[in-house]
Amino acid sequence: METTLIKSLSEIIKERHSVRKYDSTYIISQEEIKDILKEATQAPSSSNLQPWRFIVIQDQEAKKELRAIANNQEQVETASAVIAVLGDKEMYKSVENVYRSAYEAGFMDEANMNRLIEGTNKTYPFAPEEVLKNIASFDAGLVSMQLMLIAKDKGYDTVPMGGFDKEKFVKMFNVSDRLFPIVLISVGKAAAPAFNTTRLPLEDVLIEYR
């Protein structure tokens, strides 16, 4: 009888590496990709406004075109899918849905719901665009890392890519004005192992306060 080995989060983190060589014949079902995304969106976000949006690219011709505007990175075309993570700089427009949903689920009372909606509407719409884009970019980083760890847990490999022509991407996928592309994530089965990497010693990155 086959036994399933359950790995700890620590093991998954250590095993996840950026893979750039993929089995181009391997197909991940749309249902599985949706499951990965659904889990990934449990990530935290500023005021729980969830300013992330996704475009899943699996069509081979579309991946080929995308490769041309992504510095000719092979993994764009050979991975099972490319997930584009976009930020929503008008995330505050979802505030009613976000907090009403929490209220209806019994997670907060009506007074708190109204207070949070009112507070969001008094601040976010008046923030500079740069601030809103920074918030969305930060939150997109949280959901992207979670996405890659979940994919690894399900037996898939990933690599995040910031090197692509974002203006051409917007035109290619007819991205609305309120959204902006942040990162592409290739997802699939590795055809070759990733390069091992090292990290800076903790003492080089930890600033101790005494």
Side-chain angles (χ1 to χ4, degrees), residues 3-206:
T3 55
T4 303
L5 179 65
I6 299 174
K7 294 185 178 181
S8 69
L9 176 59
S10 180
E11 287 175 307
I12 293 164
I13 289 170
K14 289 170 184 171
E15 288 177 8
R16 196 220 69 82
H17 296 285
S18 291
V19 168
R20 291 175 173 81
K21 295 284 183 184
Y22 288 89
D23 178 355
S24 60
T25 65
Y26 192 89
I27 297 170
I28 303 176
S29 72
Q30 289 186 2
E31 203 54 46
E32 237 183 320
I33 288 175
K34 286 179 180 178
D35 286 344
I36 291 170
L37 290 172
K38 190 173 181 181
E39 256 189 278
T41 57
Q42 296 299 309
S45 61
S46 178
S47 300
N48 195 29
L49 293 177
Q50 305 158 58
W52 44 64
R53 300 292 181 270
F54 308 99
I55 298 175
V56 178
I57 303 135
Q58 288 185 283
D59 177 78
Q60 206 55 40
E61 279 305 309
K63 286 194 290 176
K64 188 175 181 179
E65 285 182 50
L66 181 56
R67 177 176 177 172
I69 64 170
N71 297 327
N72 196 35
Q73 296 178 83
E74 177 189 320
Q75 62 268 19
V76 172
E77 191 173 352
T78 56
S80 302
V82 176
I83 299 173
V85 184
L86 294 83
D88 180 6
K89 60 190 177 186
E90 296 179 11
M91 72 287 274
Y92 52 85
K93 291 183 177 178
S94 300
V95 66
E96 292 270 356
N97 290 339
V98 167
Y99 290 120
R100 185 157 295 282
S101 173
Y103 164 67
E104 289 173 354
F107 299 151
M108 65 175 63
D109 59 29
E110 190 171 8
N112 264 325
M113 176 191 75
N114 291 331
R115 178 180 59 81
L116 289 165
I117 291 172
E118 184 182 354
T120 299
N121 285 332
K122 280 182 176 178
T123 54
Y124 280 81
F126 305 103
E129 183 177 293
E130 183 184 0
V131 170
L132 294 171
K133 289 183 82 171
N134 284 341
I135 291 169
S137 296
F138 179 83
D139 291 347
L142 296 175
V143 81
S144 294
M145 190 68 250
Q146 192 140 302
L147 187 161
M148 290 187 284
L149 291 175
I150 292 162
K152 188 63 184 174
D153 187 42
K154 293 179 182 293
Y156 299 119
D157 294 289
T158 56
V159 59
M161 297 165 284
F164 63 103
D165 190 317
K166 294 177 174 62
E167 286 184 16
K168 288 181 179 176
F169 181 93
V170 165
K171 289 177 184 174
M172 181 177 171
F173 292 96
N174 196 27
V175 176
S176 78
D177 288 343
R178 69 183 271 180
L179 305 179
F180 62 101
I182 297 171
V183 66
L184 304 176
I185 301 174
S186 285
V187 186
K189 284 282 187 181
F195 293 112
N196 283 327
T197 57
T198 59
R199 292 295 183 269
L200 292 169
L202 182 61
E203 55 267 26
D204 287 2
V205 297
L206 173 63

